[in-house]
């Protein structure tokens, strides 16, 4: 049997479980198989026929802690995260996470942070400290990844959103705006436009130039979005040219702006799950906006409204007509759009406010487009085409 055939048989044996006889496992492969069996086998004594793996992770917390240690040793982190997620969904591993020793065995990731935050209210004090350390590791890693790009892109957008009629350099001329401004001076015989008025990009002062209000839905399906939005909120709040506010909501609205210096505090101020009153969140957000023409309102929600739908839509329309740049994100994560209320999304689109999912990598460019007042439907089309 060739090496390639042997490796293929080994992999199928790990996938199918011990009832498959396509290969014999030895050494570390046996430990890997035991870890997979603990999560996916039906267990001994099952009357089910066939060799399919299915779920059975029973036993005490110490046993599960050892299992978590094994999968971290023998599988890459991406696979570990999938197995942890399966264990939480199928066997209630989230209940065992209330015990401190479990915290040391898990692989930190955004999904785990969401699970820990959902358990925050019932978590014992000693487990909460371990959970906070895990959340800190994930948040610090995310902040390192997104901070530099976000600040650079947003600063550039703020600079370029300024307009001047006396640009200092050719590179500062906004040629599209200049042509539009001077179309009345088109000379057909020369097939050219005489630019009597130049439109250029200016350079603004270091004072506050734009106001940003982030409103984040705390419903359970939005867990990953809450994590990313909190990190981005902290990065935006660190920029002196922006005034950033952050509110989270379910049926109530909580203003967490004062905690924006530390996204971990923001996250532990959230309470995932519960109902949703988007209208109430928008109503509160309106009180934070006193410069509509220079304000950006970002709503992150699956749009399942438990409040007054018609009033919610009227508020969005009023914000938009006042000059606020309104952005509605169905998700801010790498997972694509979750289940969402399609009727509300369609109603918002009719108001000229497209609702769409955005990945964390694309969020800085989205904010830049909003700061510069670009039509977001065009940005969405371009982004989806590139994606």
């Amino acid at each position: 049997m060739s090496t390639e055939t042997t490796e293929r048989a080994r992999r199928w044996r790990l996938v199918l479980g011990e009832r498959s006889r396509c290969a014999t496992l030895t050494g570390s492969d046996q430990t890997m198989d035991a870890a997979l069996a603990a999560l996916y086998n039906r267990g001994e004594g099952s009357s089910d026929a066939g060799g399919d793996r299915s779920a059975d992770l029973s036993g005490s917390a110490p046993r599960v802690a050892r299992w978590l240690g094994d999968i971290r040793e023998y599988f890459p982190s991406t696979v570990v995260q999938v197995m942890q997620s399966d264990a939480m969904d199928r066997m209630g591993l989230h209940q065992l996470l209330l015990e401190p020793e479990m915290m040391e065995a898990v692989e930190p990731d955004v999904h785990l942070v969401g699970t820990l935050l959902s358990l925050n209210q019932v978590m014992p004090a000693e487990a909460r400290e371990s959970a906070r350390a895990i959340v800190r590791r994930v948040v610090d890693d995310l902040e390192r990844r997104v901070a530099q790009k976000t600040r650079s892109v947003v600063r550039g957008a703020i600079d370029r959103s300024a307009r001047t009629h006396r640009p200092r350099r050719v590179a500062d001329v906004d040629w599209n705006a200049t042509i539009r401004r001077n179309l009345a001076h088109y000379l057909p015989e020369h097939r050219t436009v005489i630019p009597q008025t130049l439109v250029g990009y200016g350079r603004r002062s270091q004072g506050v130039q734009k106001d940003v209000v982030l409103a984040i839905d705390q419903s359970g399906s939005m867990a990953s979005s809450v994590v990313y939005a909190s990190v981005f909120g902290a990065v935006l709040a660190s920029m002196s040219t922006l005034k950033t506010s952050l509110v989270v909501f379910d049926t109530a609205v909580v203003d967490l702006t004062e905690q924006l210096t530390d996204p971990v505090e923001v996250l532990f101020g959230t309470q995932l799950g519960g109902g949703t009153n988007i209208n109430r969140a928008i109503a509160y957000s309106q009180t934070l906006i006193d410069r509509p023409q220079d304000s950006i309102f970002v709503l992150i929600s699956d749009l399942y409204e438990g409040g007054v739908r018609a009033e919610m839509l009227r508020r969005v329309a009023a914000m938009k007509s006042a000059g606020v740049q309104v952005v509605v994100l169905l998700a801010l994560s790498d997972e694509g759009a979750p289940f969402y209320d399609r009727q509300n999304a369609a109603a918002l689109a009719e108001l000229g406010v497209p609702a769409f999912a955005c990945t964390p990598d694309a969020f800085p460019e989205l904010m830049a487009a909003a700061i510069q007042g670009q039509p977001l439907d065009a940005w969405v089309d371009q982004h989806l085409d590139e994606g």
Side-chain angles (χ1 to χ4, degrees):
M1 185 179 296
S2 69
T3 302
E4 181 179 351
T5 302
T6 300
E7 176 61 17
R8 186 181 298 113
R10 168 184 168 272
R11 289 175 177 269
W12 275 113
R13 168 62 180 80
L14 288 169
V15 169
L16 297 174
E18 62 183 1
R19 294 183 183 181
S20 169
R21 303 184 184 280
C22 56
T24 300
L25 301 179
T26 60
S28 62
D29 284 347
Q30 291 179 321
T31 307
M32 293 172 63
D33 185 59
L36 290 166
L39 177 59
Y40 297 113
N41 275 8
R42 297 186 189 277
E44 294 180 4
S46 170
S47 60
D48 294 317
D52 296 340
R53 289 194 184 276
S54 62
D56 181 25
L57 182 60
S58 57
S60 65
R63 175 184 174 186
V64 178
R66 287 194 299 272
W67 175 80
L68 287 167
D70 285 342
I71 66 173
R72 290 183 66 180
E73 180 177 355
Y74 291 103
F75 297 94
S77 61
T78 52
V79 175
V80 171
Q81 291 167 14
V82 171
M83 295 177 73
Q84 285 179 175
S85 178
D86 286 347
M88 290 172 195
D89 291 341
R90 296 180 173 196
M91 280 73 66
L93 175 60
H94 57 281
Q95 294 297 330
L96 293 172
L97 288 174
L98 301 180
E99 303 187 25
E101 63 268 25
M102 294 296 295
M103 301 293 185
E104 300 176 1
V106 293
E107 179 75 20
D109 71 331
V110 169
H111 302 290
L112 179 62
V113 168
T115 299
L116 295 177
L117 294 176
S118 69
L119 298 171
N120 183 32
Q121 303 302 314
V122 297
M123 195 176 289
E126 59 271 22
R128 187 175 290 111
E129 289 307 309
S130 298
R132 188 176 288 270
I134 289 175
V135 174
R136 173 73 62 188
R137 286 174 58 188
V138 174
V139 165
D140 287 350
D141 178 61
L142 288 177
E143 202 163 7
R144 281 192 297 270
R145 286 163 45 194
V146 306
Q148 183 176 356
K149 177 181 178 181
T150 301
R151 293 190 184 104
S152 174
V153 170
V154 170
R155 283 196 188 108
I158 290 173
D159 284 343
R160 294 175 71 83
S161 67
R163 288 292 184 267
T164 177
H165 296 305
R166 303 179 68 178
R168 297 179 180 179
R169 304 174 303 166
V170 173
D172 290 336
V173 177
D174 183 341
W175 291 108
N176 290 332
T178 296
I179 292 170
R180 287 194 298 269
R181 180 68 63 85
N182 292 276
L183 285 176
H185 308 298
Y186 177 68
L187 300 180
E189 64 274 19
H190 297 289
R191 301 179 66 183
T192 189
V193 171
I194 303 299
Q196 293 188 6
T197 301
L198 294 177
V199 179
Y201 302 114
R203 292 294 180 266
R204 290 191 168 184
S205 66
Q206 292 304 304
V208 173
Q209 304 301 324
K210 295 287 183 179
D211 297 342
V212 178
V213 178
L214 300 171
I216 310 173
D217 187 340
Q218 295 184 106
S219 59
S221 64
M222 304 299 293
S224 295
S225 297
V226 170
V227 176
Y228 283 114
S230 299
V231 172
F232 277 113
V235 173
L236 295 175
S238 70
M239 301 180 63
S240 61
T241 50
L242 297 177
K243 175 188 174 185
T244 304
S245 303
L246 184 143
V247 299
V248 296
F249 65 92
D250 41 39
T251 53
V253 180
V254 180
D255 192 327
L256 296 177
T257 302
E258 292 187 358
Q259 282 77 50
L260 268 178
T261 54
D262 186 349
V264 174
E265 292 302 317
V266 170
L267 290 171
F268 276 92
T270 63
Q271 186 173 347
L272 295 177
T276 307
N277 193 324
I278 303 173
N279 178 56
R280 182 173 293 171
I282 296 176
Y284 179 81
S285 298
Q286 286 178 301
T287 68
L288 303 176
I289 297 173
D290 52 19
R291 303 189 307 154
Q293 296 289 335
D294 290 312
S295 296
I296 301 160
F297 173 62
V298 182
L299 173 66
I300 304 175
S301 173
D302 55 16
L303 299 180
Y304 285 106
E305 172 65 314
V308 183
R309 176 181 185 269
E311 190 171 340
M312 173 195 75
L313 295 173
R314 281 196 298 269
R315 291 187 186 280
V316 172
M319 293 175 78
K320 186 171 174 58
S321 65
V324 178
Q325 180 75 292
V326 180
V327 180
V328 176
L329 299 182
L330 302 170
L332 178 56
S333 71
D334 290 310
E335 301 166 4
F339 291 106
Y340 64 94
D341 190 308
R342 296 182 180 276
Q343 285 188 325
N344 283 337
L348 289 170
E350 290 180 2
L351 297 175
V353 180
F356 55 96
C358 179
T359 65
D361 285 344
F363 186 73
E365 284 82 5
L366 170 62
M367 287 303 299
I371 287 170
Q372 293 181 269
Q374 297 178 17
L376 292 185
D377 51 355
W379 185 91
V380 174
D381 290 341
Q382 179 183 2
H383 175 68
L384 292 179
D385 288 343
E386 292 175 352

